[in-house]
Amino acid sequence: MSSHREWTVNCRDIAGRRRDVTIFVRQGRVVLVAPPGETAVFSPLDVGRLRAALRDAVVDASVDGDRRLPTSE
């Protein structure tokens, strides 16, 4: 069983338009999806949210990675 959690953090592009960065875990790896072709600009509060989302994703990735490791008997 694999939980498919996903985190979204608000940001702005270089022109000031609202955008999102998405973080999820796939096969024990952390995936960060930035706005396509854009620069992500974060407020200090949003950087804290990004950090927290990445920390949670790393925890999920390590659990997901542990499930994929072969067990020795």
Side-chain angles (χ1 to χ4, degrees), residues 2-7 22-32 53-65 67-68:
S2 175
S3 64
H4 296 285
R5 291 183 17 171
E6 190 173 286
W7 300 264
T22 304
I23 300 108
F24 62 93
V25 174
R26 192 68 76 228
Q27 298 179 345
R29 306 273 183 167
V30 176
V31 180
L32 185 118
L54 287 170
R55 182 189 59 234
D56 291 346
V58 166
V59 170
D60 281 7
S62 65
V63 170
D64 191 38
R67 283 185 235 171
R68 292 184 10 238

Side-chain angles (χ1 to χ4, degrees), residues 8-63:
T8 302
V9 179
N10 297 324
C11 63
R12 298 211 177 243
D13 65 14
I14 202 72
R17 297 174 296 218
R18 291 180 182 266
R19 298 290 187 249
D20 293 316
V21 170
T22 304
I23 300 108
F24 62 93
V25 174
R26 192 68 76 228
Q27 298 179 345
R29 306 273 183 167
V30 176
V31 180
L32 185 118
V33 180
E38 298 285 349
T39 300
V41 180
F42 296 95
S43 71
L45 180 60
D46 289 333
V47 169
R49 290 180 177 139
L50 177 62
R51 180 177 180 257
L54 287 170
R55 182 189 59 234
D56 291 346
V58 166
V59 170
D60 281 7
S62 65
V63 170

